[in-house]
Amino acid sequence: MAKQKILVTGGAGFIGSHLVRLLVNKYPDYQIVNLDALTYAGNLANLTDIEQKDNYTFVKGDIVDADFLDQLFAEQNFDGVIHLAAESHVDRSITDPMSFIKTNIIGTVNLLNAARKSWGDFEGKRFYHVSTDEVYGTLGETGLFTEETSYDPRSPYSASKASSDHLVRAYHHTYGMPIVISNCSNNYGPFQFPEKLLPLFINNIKHNKALPVYGDGKYTRDWLWVEDHATAIDVIYHEGKNGDTYNIGGHNEWKNIDIINLMIKIVDEQLGRPEGTSQKLITYVKDRAGHDRRYAIDATKVKDELGWMPSLQMEEGLTRTVKWYLENSEWMDNVTSGNYQQYYEQMYADRV
Ligand code: NAD
Ligand code: DAU
């Protein structure tokens, strides 16, 4: 593999930190530059095991700041960009859409512009945009999202990601920028901020707090072990076809209430509580506005063309995930101190 300098944006977040770790460890000859604004979701504690490596650099910066990005690209001569920085939580996008427009749309265009200005004829360059299956909207009881499914985003978050996907493709068609895009299903694993279903519920079970299940609890998601997403990004970055899109998913659909019951079983078991102890915490609450009913990915293309497949079954992945959160209570206590309490009260007060 030829030496490369890769800019990873959002590398201090949940998925980004797993990807940065994979790249830094797997490619000692590469230079990996992690650009992150360290919002509430960014956390350098996610990267302590690699922060001293010679091939790793952290840069604090905001992708909404175009001048900063232009200067960074002029100084650094990147070969590639893997763009993950984003506002990522659907519920926050319902209460504050504008921050999603700024980071996810304007920030992405700023990055595309900075790359375009510094990359000349684009020889040997690649811009990889990491996106979500939520751009496709919602499924009924049957069917899967393929790369040909029409876009139909329904939340401010998914609309901002759809917009950024279109802009990345537009830079490919208009300016010839070499790009790839992937659209992935719900990730789970260590280092996920406890605003998302699984870490939030693990933490609440531990503290005997109510588990706020939105609506009837029968919404369905397709779950993927986060390290499998990182390996997919690695393969697609290196081998994906210029201009193409790849869907990534776990072939692992669960209704929320079923995964919640499994999680309760595993957490109670690991805490040494009698089976079923935390069932009483389940509390059905007011639904999320515009809640997408079902997501499920057809990941045939990435399997057939690039040989990628998920490695881990849900029960094993969830057991590892619960173990990690229970063993890393300092990490959880740090991210749930301060503003988190305020967030929680605002988000859930009028639901319960
Ligand atoms: P996250 O919220 O955990 O992390 C986002 C990171 O981006 C944080 O480190 C944050 O500090 C950084 N960031 C936010 N705004 C920034 C800005 N203006 N400038 C620079 N950095 C900024 O998100 P995640 O769950 O790790 O998701 C990463 C990417 O993957 C996102 O683009 C998301 O849309 C996409 N994605 C996520 C999932 C999932 O299940 N979590 C699934 C599919 C796709
Ligand atoms: O599909 C990929 C997407 O998955 C990513 O693009 C997003 O960044 C990521 O946040 C995730 O979106 P979801 O909205 O599916 O994830 P979340 O963890 O917020 O919710 C999962 C399901 O659980 C969803 O049906 C809503 C429900 N839920 C969530 C929370 C936080 C609850 O019932 N109660 C809750 O408190």
Side-chain angles (χ1 to χ4, degrees):
M1 213 65 78
K3 284 186 185 179
Q4 292 207 30
K5 186 187 267 194
I6 302 176
L7 177 70
V8 178
T9 72
F14 166 49
I15 300 167
S17 60
H18 288 275
L19 176 68
V20 165
R21 178 174 298 101
L22 180 154
L23 296 174
V24 164
N25 288 329
K26 182 169 174 187
Y27 303 104
D29 287 346
Y30 285 19
Q31 283 298 319
I32 306 300
V33 178
N34 171 11
L35 167 64
D36 198 297
L38 299 182
T39 67
Y40 77 91
N43 189 350
L44 291 179
N46 299 354
L47 292 159
T48 45
D49 55 327
I50 55 138
E51 66 190 358
Q52 300 300 335
K53 298 260 183 174
D54 291 342
N55 62 338
Y56 171 71
T57 315
F58 175 72
V59 177
K60 185 169 188 292
D62 188 342
I63 59 168
V64 179
D65 183 345
D67 293 340
F68 159 75
L69 285 181
D70 288 347
Q71 201 180 331
L72 182 72
F73 273 76
E75 284 166 8
Q76 294 269 357
N77 198 18
F78 296 117
D79 299 293
V81 173
I82 307 182
H83 175 36
L84 295 96
E87 288 294 337
S88 69
H89 189 40
V90 173
D91 290 327
R92 288 186 195 254
S93 83
I94 295 167
T95 51
D96 174 24
M98 191 50 82
S99 58
F100 287 69
I101 306 306
K102 286 184 184 150
T103 290
N104 299 0
I105 305 178
I106 297 172
T108 300
V109 175
N110 286 341
L111 264 178
L112 288 163
N113 284 340
R116 184 173 161 237
K117 281 184 222 164
S118 79
W119 279 354
D121 64 4
F122 296 127
E123 184 59 36
K125 307 293 189 188
R126 169 149 280 197
F127 190 104
Y128 185 149
H129 179 58
V130 175
S131 192
T132 170
D133 60 357
E134 299 199 12
V135 299
Y136 299 124
T138 187
L139 291 164
E141 288 294 308
T142 57
L144 300 172
F145 295 134
T146 74
E147 288 81 0
E148 274 70 50
T149 302
S150 301
Y151 275 36
D152 184 21
R154 293 150 47 96
S155 72
Y157 164 68
S158 53
S160 70
K161 292 296 290 187
S163 174
S164 60
D165 291 11
H166 290 316
L167 285 157
V168 172
R169 279 192 200 98
Y171 273 60
H172 175 66
H173 293 296
T174 308
Y175 306 114
M177 183 179 282
I179 64 109
V180 273
I181 299 178
S182 57
N183 297 87
C184 186
S185 62
N186 287 59
N187 287 213
Y188 72 99
F191 300 119
Q192 187 169 33
F193 192 81
E195 62 192 349
K196 309 281 165 56
L197 179 74
L198 296 189
L200 189 148
F201 276 38
I202 293 169
N203 194 40
N204 282 14
I205 298 170
K206 181 180 161 189
H207 294 288
N208 284 308
K209 282 178 68 177
L211 304 175
V213 181
Y214 296 168
D216 65 1
K218 292 183 182 156
Y219 294 82
T220 300
R221 297 292 182 264
D222 172 1
W223 293 93
L224 180 69
W225 175 241
V226 61
E227 290 179 13
D228 283 335
H229 189 187
T231 61
I233 294 173
D234 175 26
V235 173
I236 294 168
Y237 176 80
H238 287 99
E239 294 168 34
K241 201 167 140 230
N242 181 23
D244 265 22
T245 292
Y246 297 87
N247 279 357
I248 308 170
H251 301 291
N252 184 32
E253 284 185 52
W254 287 76
K255 286 196 170 50
N256 290 341
I257 194 63
D258 295 335
I259 206 172
I260 289 163
N261 281 324
L262 176 58
M263 197 166 28
I264 287 172
K265 179 171 168 282
I266 296 172
V267 178
D268 278 347
E269 205 170 270
Q270 292 193 16
L271 287 174
R273 295 176 182 166
E275 192 172 340
T277 305
S278 303
Q279 283 291 334
K280 61 178 183 297
L281 299 175
I282 290 180
T283 312
Y284 287 91
V285 300
K286 189 172 146 199
D287 209 348
R288 172 184 282 174
H291 200 168
D292 287 338
R293 191 66 175 167
R294 175 173 165 259
Y295 304 142
I297 282 276
D298 179 347
T300 307
K301 178 178 174 183
V302 67
K303 174 170 167 276
D304 287 356
E305 292 187 11
L306 305 178
W308 176 88
M309 282 197 301
S311 72
L312 212 58
Q313 294 305 307
M314 191 70 193
E315 191 132 2
E316 164 69 10
L318 205 49
T319 302
R320 280 197 213 177
T321 302
V322 169
K323 187 164 185 287
W324 187 87
Y325 285 101
L326 296 182
E327 283 178 353
N328 289 274
S329 46
E330 200 183 333
W331 182 94
M332 183 60 93
D333 293 346
N334 281 337
V335 300
T336 52
S337 62
N339 289 343
Y340 182 80
Q341 298 307 330
Q342 208 184 335
Y343 162 80
Y344 198 88
E345 274 153 34
Q346 279 168 0
M347 193 57 80
Y348 290 95
D350 70 338
R351 277 209 156 99
V352 184

